[in-house]
Amino acid sequence: MKIAVLPGDGIGTEIVAEAVKVLEVLDLNFEMESALVGGAAYEAHGHPLPEATLKLAKDSDAILFGAVGDWKYDKLDRPLRPEQAILGLRKNLGLFANFRPAICYEQLVDASSLKPELIAGLDILIIRELTGDIYFGQPRGRRTAVDGHFPGAEEAFDTMRYSRPEIERIARVAFEAARKRGKKVTSVDKANVLETFQFWKDVVIDVHKDYQDVELEHMYVDNAAMQLVKKPKAFDVIVTGNMFGDILSDEASMLTGSIGMLPSASLNSSNQGLYEPSHGSAPDIAGKGVANPLATILSAAMMLRFSLNQDESAKRIEAAVQKVLEQGLRTPDIYSEGTTKVGTSQMGDAVVKALSAQ
Ligand code: IPM
Ligand code: MG
């Protein structure tokens, strides 16, 4: 088994180092190899996703990814921006199924901006389609308008599109996941306005015929955004397209108190996966040793479970994270009065210690 370790930019290097520490103490039999990605790769090789990094990723069973991006690259041509690394990996490896759990830990109920009773015990799973939709649809670009409100004006356009097999496979992933948990899927669309999402809804209804034991509901994306803050515990599994999933998963992450706690997995049809925290590279706190490494450590647990077939070790990591929270250790993002504030590496060390004590 081989893991590609791609720390990336900003706090990426700091948090991935902690997850690697945790994996090493498990003493499992796999090889880890690191490579540059994002802005760091652009600086060294002139491209955010160099051939060698892509090849390493393709040849690995799993990828442990930190984060990419920095404001200083905002002026580069789009193909050279750090974000293209993550989009390129998703596309080249066919990582179409993105799992973004939003779980509220009992110890962190007060860290959320929502009332504790709304989020205590929250456990929802957002399944976001990751290789289609307006993110990748062609054509796109800039041109001179020939019609519309201002013919002759400069305009820009993107293409929203989904094919039946793309919707079918992500719907199956969602129904299968729901079967193992609350047995309910909310399919989020904008069928009242968009042709693409009327089709999405029709296909999800077709696929549901094979999953009659799972309850299916449909919700427009604007309403879903509202229900997520009104009654989040009414959701179990949410399945949606690439762009709606991008937006709703950030919203859902805040229900849990801190995006610094949320892992994610992006899988292809052979269970090869990319595992990354749900948050970004946070250049404002990079290098200060204060970033929360738990999302990345929990992503490593997801990696063990989904791509490396090591469910026991995954559970051990999750229990160790639970333990350090019980001990009252908190990075600044989840700190509250009466707990102990720690830095990135102290948090990683505490997880390692909790693992060794099991
Ligand atoms: C995410 C991020 C990415 C996305 C960016 C960095 C390209 O926001 O993983 O949610 O939009 O998918
Ligand atoms: Mg996002």
Side-chain angles (χ1 to χ4, degrees):
M1 293 285 196
K2 184 162 176 179
I3 304 172
V5 179
L6 310 183
D9 307 321
I11 60 170
T13 49
E14 302 164 52
I15 54 182
V16 166
E18 300 311 312
V20 167
K21 257 192 219 169
V22 169
L23 286 169
E24 275 168 351
V25 81
L26 286 170
D27 208 20
L28 295 165
N29 196 12
F30 43 57
E31 187 193 332
M32 289 193 251
E33 190 178 332
S34 300
L36 294 176
V37 74
Y42 172 75
E43 302 284 353
H45 306 291
H47 196 279
L49 183 58
E51 273 304 317
T53 302
L54 180 58
K55 182 171 186 317
L56 171 67
K58 280 185 174 162
D59 292 345
S60 302
D61 300 284
I63 301 152
L64 185 62
F65 192 94
V68 291
D70 191 303
W71 302 302
K72 68 181 176 201
Y73 303 116
D74 284 356
K75 292 211 165 58
L76 288 176
D77 283 346
R78 187 172 300 283
L80 295 178
R81 289 192 206 160
E83 292 77 15
Q84 293 303 313
I86 185 73
L87 294 172
L89 284 165
R90 288 172 184 169
K91 189 176 177 170
N92 278 286
L93 278 75
L95 305 170
F96 72 92
N98 184 212
F99 291 69
R100 296 192 168 181
I103 295 171
C104 184
Y105 288 84
E106 197 191 316
Q107 293 83 3
L108 302 182
V109 164
D110 293 317
S112 173
S113 47
L114 266 72
K115 290 184 195 134
E117 62 268 28
L118 282 184
I119 47 138
L122 180 82
D123 179 355
I124 60 188
L125 174 62
I126 297 190
I127 296 189
R128 168 186 175 195
E129 199 291 328
L130 206 56
T131 52
D133 202 353
I134 198 164
Y135 266 60
F136 291 97
Q138 293 292 343
R140 55 189 274 161
R142 293 185 185 214
R143 63 186 172 195
T144 301
V146 292
D147 49 17
H149 294 296
F150 292 98
E154 192 188 2
E155 72 171 7
F157 64 105
D158 297 274
T159 303
M160 177 177 273
R161 58 191 287 184
Y162 266 123
S163 63
R164 180 174 284 274
E166 280 178 294
I167 304 167
E168 279 173 354
R169 64 181 181 176
I170 196 71
R172 286 192 191 283
V173 168
F175 288 125
E176 298 283 345
R179 253 185 192 163
K180 295 190 200 131
R181 32 181 299 146
K183 296 201 163 45
K184 179 176 167 191
V185 169
T186 306
S187 170
V188 172
D189 62 54
K190 190 70 188 174
N192 49 344
V193 177
L194 300 172
E195 203 54 42
T196 312
F197 275 90
Q198 178 62 58
F199 185 55
W200 170 282
K201 183 173 177 179
D202 296 346
V203 175
V204 171
I205 289 172
D206 286 346
V207 174
H208 182 234
K209 292 179 186 137
D210 293 342
Y211 298 90
Q212 289 297 308
D213 53 320
V214 178
E215 182 194 340
L216 170 65
E217 75 174 351
H218 305 276
M219 202 179 276
Y220 297 142
V221 62
D222 47 352
N223 186 26
M226 186 171 78
Q227 296 304 329
L228 266 175
V229 286
K230 187 175 173 218
K231 219 179 154 201
K233 283 191 264 183
F235 292 104
D236 176 28
V237 173
I238 293 175
V239 66
T240 190
N242 205 345
M243 185 155 74
F244 298 158
D246 178 44
I247 299 165
L248 293 182
S249 62
D250 263 30
E251 186 188 6
S253 73
M254 270 302 116
L255 305 174
T256 70
S258 172
I259 197 168
M261 294 297 301
L262 297 183
S264 82
S266 307
L267 297 176
N268 66 18
S269 43
S270 41
N271 279 346
Q272 187 187 23
L274 182 147
Y275 299 84
E276 59 175 330
S278 286
H279 59 74
S281 55
D284 53 326
I285 57 164
K288 297 191 177 145
V290 295
N292 187 347
L294 293 179
T296 315
I297 291 171
L298 290 167
S299 300
M302 285 184 102
M303 172 175 84
L304 292 170
R305 175 170 297 126
F306 289 135
S307 288
L308 303 174
N309 232 334
Q310 303 281 345
D311 199 44
E312 275 316 301
S313 300
K315 285 193 186 128
R316 285 187 59 198
I317 294 179
E318 287 157 356
V321 168
Q322 188 67 47
K323 186 84 195 168
V324 301
L325 293 176
E326 280 162 22
Q327 289 164 349
L329 303 184
R330 305 280 188 274
T331 42
D333 57 309
I334 50 175
Y335 175 78
S336 61
E337 230 178 84
T339 60
T340 312
K341 202 182 273 185
V342 296
T344 311
S345 62
Q346 279 169 291
M347 188 59 112
D349 290 344
V351 175
V352 166
K353 200 167 153 213
L355 267 176
S356 313
Q358 278 168 358

